[in-house]
Amino acid sequence: MAKLTFAFMQLSSCWGCHQSLLNAHLKLYALIPEFDIVYWPAVVDFKLKSLEDRSDGSVDVGFIEGAARTEKDKEMVYLIRNKCKIVVAFGACANHGSVIGLANLYKKEELLKRKFVDAESVVESDVKGKWPNDVPEILDRLYTVPQLIDVEVKLPGCPPTTDNIVAAVIYVITLLSKKPNAVKAEKNVCIQCALNKSGCFLDSGELCFGPVTAGGCSLMCPESGEGPCVGCFQATSKPEGKRAGQLLDLIASKESLSKEDTITVQKFIELYLGLANFDFMYFAGDVLQKLAEHPETFEEKTIKTKKGQQKVLAFTGTGTAIIDDTISLLLMKLKGSKHFKFSQASVCSTCERSVVDKTYTEIKRDYEGLPDKKKCFLEEGYVCLGPVTKAGCGTICPNKANAPCLGCYGPPEQIKDQGAKMLSTYASLGPDPKTLMDKILDPAGLFNRFTLAASTLGGHVEDTKEEEK
Amino acid sequence: MPKIYEVEPVTRLEGHGGLILKVSDDGKKVLDAQFNVTTTRFFEKFVEGRFMEHVPRITPRICGICPIPHHIAPTKAVEDAWNVKIPPAAFKVRELLLQAKQYSSHLLHFYALAAPDFIYGPFADPAKRNVVSILKDLPAEGKMALEMMEYGQALCAAIGGKSVHPIVSIPGGLKNPFSEEHRDFFLKDWERQVEYTKKTVEIALKVVTDYWDVVANVGVVPTWYLGVAKEDGTHDIHDGMLSICNPEGKIKRYKPQKYLEVIGEHVTSHNYGTHTFIKEVGYPEGVYQTGPLGMINVAERMNTPLADAALKEMRDKIGTNPIHNVFAFHWARIIETVAAIENIGNLLKDPDIVSTDIKTMDVEPIAGRGVGMVEAPRGTLIYDLTSDEKGICRKANLLVATNHNLGGIDKLVTHVAKQIIEQDALKSIKLPDPWVK
């Protein structure tokens, strides 16, 4: 098989994501032979034209570091989208705007004027009272990459940790290198299973995924008393016909999924489809994430079961019709289950600092004193975005550097606005409103430092009424 | 109609730039050459309104390769504005952090960004002429380079919390002491790193010897230089005087707070990076260069023995002071790398380095203005921050390495373009056989 091709695009950014990738150091020896670089200005001398000359969709993976600050950046985002099959929004700028999104608090003219006209050291200008004009134009506001195009992978962090990047690269390589239905298992679990003849879980109405799962595993959960098969050996190319039908009908017969069934089904889909289930990363191929966040993007279709025609959420990709149908039906059932939860962990869930009572009585500035290394920052009075920040970073700042979380990984997917959520956290657990007002003098900079551009307000909002007057 | 050649983008560069070369219609005369920065992110404006103590936790994002100086310089500016004195141990740990970054960044620059040109030759296929090929073709050197960078980056992370975008520095000192475990760990590997550095010096000297014709004759352009050094002229990346050197080698030193008297910015129509220049000379005559060569030219001596000997060797071999040879930048970078590993050793051996007295509790915002300056691997950083009485940043003026270098780069690129186009220098220049063909 030909090697995968990777392109790395750099918009307005700091290079830190690339530095974090290069920090893999000796691990690079294992990674680099896995792909060919077709564009990577930071490292390789290929010019832009060489990328433009490639045919659309011909590059396997495109990483975009940075946010769109200029017209040129915007063009580069579209260029990568056109050339690449999978686009990775790489780092905090690409995903949420990062600190440079704070520029959205100001009008474009204010930004340019400060830098090129009013700065104390500006003493001469070829463009008196103005700013450079023979350059790619500054956009009215800064845009994140998902605000401009659909992306398949979101890898946040300022920067994403080296481990996160390596894991994401390996995951993407593994997925792309796999042909559909790569596990050409000719057997299935039922063939091997002693319970097939008598005592089958399906006969007693319990969900067991043995009929659609590749055989050859040595664990054999059903036989060994562990319980029904959870599908971890992934798809077989020859499902056990009768039992597979029985499984489909059993699912169809369930009016709604119980809590236990919901958990079983979620676990099955994760294991069976090899979903990474990385807290730190969004992957569009992750059907559970898609179901939780964008259920409307699934197409519906109808399948036949013993219970009659059933509407399902179309899923394909296992190479076998009955397995695709089974998963399609499961997705529909999950969608209807009130127990279906797809939530990502927060930094707090991985933090070693001890929490006493989750009440925040005062607010301290970071320069005040020195935090006790064992206590929760919020309880000590320091502003920490742990509760509203996606886990996966390794919890370095609170646990290794005695510094509160600034929120650089952005919010877990179930939280829409990191800043708003932090405000609401303080409103319910924090000190009295007056203390909050007196101390939180910069809510945007404290609570939306890395996500302002992607937040509900998005930045400076014109008071149009004032203008109408 | 002049002919316009464009290089888009300029590669192996931290940042975003394009190169434009304008040549007369008969193709014989160079009219202009510009290296242009094609985007800007407005840190100067959006740090306004932020807590002063958080500016050092925002500005490292100016540069992902050199976030550490962009962490320390604004901390110093806040401390200057608020009149805060830090414990001596905090000063030493910050210095260790800066030296660790200097070490890894210079090595990244030398091995990953610069070396491909020398190892494969400047005209090799781009698919070949890069660090990925070096890792494949010269695995022993490649592995050594990676282990050196890793040492520096890991040391940055051990002190700074994260190597990219550190979080440890705070007005008043540090949030976290440097642990004894870390000290022992890095001290254990230090001697091997010194050996590696010596090997790197050999490689660099081989490059200088092989490419002597290039070093001695291409891009030898007298300019001014700017850097940081102690009042007595000793090389210092952490806490020195703003030092300038004229093309003839006359050096002047100023307190960082006086920077507005020394340098000004010139805004051009074609570049988001402003061109700084020496005010007393004017623009464009007063453009200057900064970074390792600037640092060497404004220094009388290095602060460690091996590096100082290496500096003397360089000055003897080139024969001028200041040194105007642009290809001597790499050589100067290696001398600073030697200084970095020697300083790392000295600091690791200093008992103060693991002191827990790293933060003064005496920190109160006051209205005022402060300047913080340190040397980043590619040039001097000047942070000028204004605080109100509540400790909110009201104004920020930042001059970073890119500003300082742009005028000098344009001058150099124009000069080299003339050498190639008007004097057909490529015909006469002697290039060695590539190490790897």
Side-chain angles (χ1 to χ4, degrees), chain A residues 11-12 14 72 121 365 442, chain B residues 8 16 39 50 53 64 265:
Chain A
L11 312 177
S12 296
C14 78
K72 183 89 191 171
S121 40
R365 296 274 291 265
D442 176 26
Chain B
E8 190 193 3
H16 308 75
T39 182
R50 312 282 83 79
E53 71 273 22
E265 290 180 82

Side-chain angles (χ1 to χ4, degrees), chain A residues 11-12 14 41 45 47 72 106 114 121 124 126 133-134 136 158 365 367 369 373 397 400 442 449, chain B residues 8-9 11-12 16 39 48 50 53-54 61 64 129 162 176 265-267 269 272 359 390-391 396-397:
Chain A
L11 312 177
S12 296
C14 78
D45 292 336
K47 299 301 167 190
K72 183 89 191 171
Y106 305 91
R114 171 67 200 155
S121 40
E124 283 192 19
D126 293 344
N133 48 31
D134 189 12
C158 189
R365 296 274 291 265
Y367 61 79
K373 282 190 183 173
C397 299
K400 298 203 176 122
D442 176 26
R449 179 174 305 179
Chain B
E8 190 193 3
T11 45
R12 284 184 277 144
H16 308 75
T39 182
E48 274 180 24
R50 312 282 83 79
E53 71 273 22
H54 277 279
R61 275 88 189 169
R129 193 181 55 213
K162 292 155 66 190
N176 208 22
E265 290 180 82
H266 176 99
V267 180
S269 60
Y272 278 129
K359 166 88 180 10
K390 288 187 171 163
N397 190 34

Side-chain angles (χ1 to χ4, degrees), chain B residues 195-431:
Chain B
E195 289 313 307
Y196 282 173
T197 305
K198 286 179 183 166
K199 274 187 204 153
T200 302
V201 172
E202 283 170 27
I203 292 171
L205 287 179
K206 177 171 159 51
V207 167
V208 169
T209 313
D210 286 358
Y211 284 88
W212 182 252
D213 201 24
V214 175
V215 174
N217 298 309
V218 178
V220 184
V221 183
T223 66
W224 286 66
Y225 297 91
L226 178 135
V228 185
K230 283 197 185 12
E231 199 157 13
D232 71 356
T234 308
H235 183 271
D236 181 359
I237 62 173
H238 183 185
D239 199 36
M241 305 276 283
L242 178 63
S243 304
I244 58 171
C245 161
N246 80 0
E248 288 74 46
K250 192 166 176 302
I251 295 167
K252 284 189 196 169
R253 307 193 195 278
Y254 304 84
K255 285 217 164 85
Q257 286 74 7
K258 301 271 181 200
Y259 80 98
L260 284 174
E261 292 171 21
V262 185
I263 46 184
E265 290 180 82
H266 176 99
V267 180
T268 71
S269 60
H270 52 77
N271 200 330
Y272 278 129
T274 59
H275 290 198
T276 47
F277 61 96
I278 305 290
K279 263 186 175 170
E280 64 177 80
V281 189
Y283 184 84
E285 293 73 21
V287 299
Y288 54 83
Q289 299 180 75
T290 177
L293 193 60
M295 284 294 280
I296 298 291
N297 282 335
V298 301
E300 305 284 344
R301 67 193 74 79
M302 304 302 289
N303 77 332
T304 52
L306 288 178
D308 197 46
L311 174 61
K312 289 208 175 77
E313 187 184 347
M314 180 186 182
R315 284 185 174 152
D316 285 349
K317 179 116 199 231
I318 296 208
T320 65
N321 187 8
I323 292 168
H324 295 302
N325 311 49
V326 69
F327 280 91
F329 254 99
H330 296 311
W331 197 349
R333 186 167 289 119
I334 294 304
I335 293 171
E336 285 196 316
T337 309
V338 175
I341 198 65
E342 289 183 281
N343 279 306
I344 288 171
N346 292 342
L347 287 160
L348 286 174
K349 289 169 194 164
D350 186 330
D352 275 0
I353 208 73
V354 292
S355 163
T356 51
D357 180 18
I358 39 92
K359 166 88 180 10
T360 172
M361 301 300 151
D362 188 17
V363 186
E364 272 302 321
I366 48 171
R369 185 168 168 185
V371 174
M373 181 180 77
V374 300
E375 181 68 13
R378 271 155 292 277
T380 309
L381 311 182
I382 299 171
Y383 276 70
D384 172 359
L385 303 177
T386 303
S387 172
D388 69 11
E389 71 288 352
K390 288 187 171 163
I392 306 281
C393 180
R394 288 298 165 208
K395 220 173 238 185
N397 190 34
L398 317 182
L399 290 175
V400 302
T402 309
N403 297 119
H404 301 305
N405 276 322
L406 283 171
I409 292 177
D410 277 5
K411 197 168 175 178
L412 269 158
V413 173
T414 308
H415 177 89
V416 174
K418 282 182 179 166
Q419 280 189 290
I420 291 170
I421 291 169
E422 296 175 10
Q423 296 149 26
D424 207 6
L426 283 182
K427 259 195 191 146
S428 56
I429 210 101
K430 283 191 220 94
L431 290 175

Side-chain angles (χ1 to χ4, degrees), chain A residues 3 10-17 19-20 22-26 28-29 32-33 36-37 39-49 65 69-70 72-73 76 93 98-106 108 110-112 114-117 119-127 130-138 158-159 365-371 373 377 382 396-397 400-406 408 438-442 444-446 449-450, chain B residues 7-16 37-46 48-54 57-58 61-65 82 101 108 112-113 117 125-127 129-132 135-136 138-139 142-143 146-147 149-150 153 160-165 167-168 170-171 174-177 259-260 263-272 274 277 279 282-283 358-361 363-365 369 384 390-392 395-397 399 403:
Chain A
K3 264 201 224 177
Q10 202 187 349
L11 312 177
S12 296
S13 69
C14 78
W15 220 86
C17 298
Q19 177 73 58
S20 191
L22 293 178
N23 281 355
H25 294 118
L26 294 175
L28 291 171
Y29 274 108
I32 283 176
D36 275 332
I37 296 160
Y39 190 71
W40 194 1
V43 173
V44 183
D45 292 336
F46 296 127
K47 299 301 167 190
L48 188 60
K49 192 163 182 309
E65 185 208 43
R69 180 71 268 182
T70 67
K72 183 89 191 171
D73 287 338
M76 294 301 105
C93 292
S98 190
V99 298
I100 58 175
L102 292 173
N104 284 0
L105 291 169
Y106 305 91
K108 172 182 162 180
E110 291 176 300
L111 298 168
L112 287 159
R114 171 67 200 155
K115 183 173 165 77
F116 295 106
V117 183
E120 289 69 19
S121 40
V122 167
V123 290
E124 283 192 19
S125 179
D126 293 344
V127 278
K130 283 283 179 186
W131 29 86
N133 48 31
D134 189 12
V135 271
E137 196 165 339
I138 296 290
C158 189
R365 296 274 291 265
D366 267 13
Y367 61 79
E368 291 179 60
L370 199 57
K373 282 190 183 173
F377 281 116
Y382 296 102
I396 298 164
C397 299
K400 298 203 176 122
N402 202 21
C405 172
L406 293 178
C408 80
D438 285 349
K439 285 287 198 169
I440 307 289
L441 295 170
D442 176 26
L446 288 171
R449 179 174 305 179
F450 290 90
Chain B
V7 178
E8 190 193 3
V10 173
T11 45
R12 284 184 277 144
L13 167 87
E14 181 278 308
H16 308 75
V37 176
T38 49
T39 182
T40 184
R41 292 169 294 154
F42 306 107
F43 280 82
E44 297 88 342
K45 184 68 187 176
F46 69 71
E48 274 180 24
R50 312 282 83 79
F51 286 171
M52 282 290 273
E53 71 273 22
H54 277 279
R57 292 194 74 177
I58 292 174
R61 275 88 189 169
I62 288 176
C63 172
I65 308 191
W82 290 357
K101 181 70 252 185
L108 175 87
L113 304 181
D117 287 330
D125 178 0
R129 193 181 55 213
N130 56 64
V131 67
V132 177
L135 296 182
K136 269 186 237 162
L138 299 170
K143 188 165 170 282
L146 288 173
E147 283 178 0
M149 292 177 217
E150 186 162 29
Q153 288 296 89
K162 292 155 66 190
S163 62
V164 184
H165 306 330
I167 47 215
V168 75
I170 185 91
L174 302 169
K175 282 197 166 268
N176 208 22
Y259 80 98
L260 284 174
I263 46 184
E265 290 180 82
H266 176 99
V267 180
T268 71
S269 60
H270 52 77
N271 200 330
Y272 278 129
T274 59
F277 61 96
K279 263 186 175 170
Y283 184 84
I358 39 92
K359 166 88 180 10
T360 172
M361 301 300 151
V363 186
E364 272 302 321
R369 185 168 168 185
D384 172 359
K390 288 187 171 163
I392 306 281
K395 220 173 238 185
N397 190 34
L399 290 175
N403 297 119

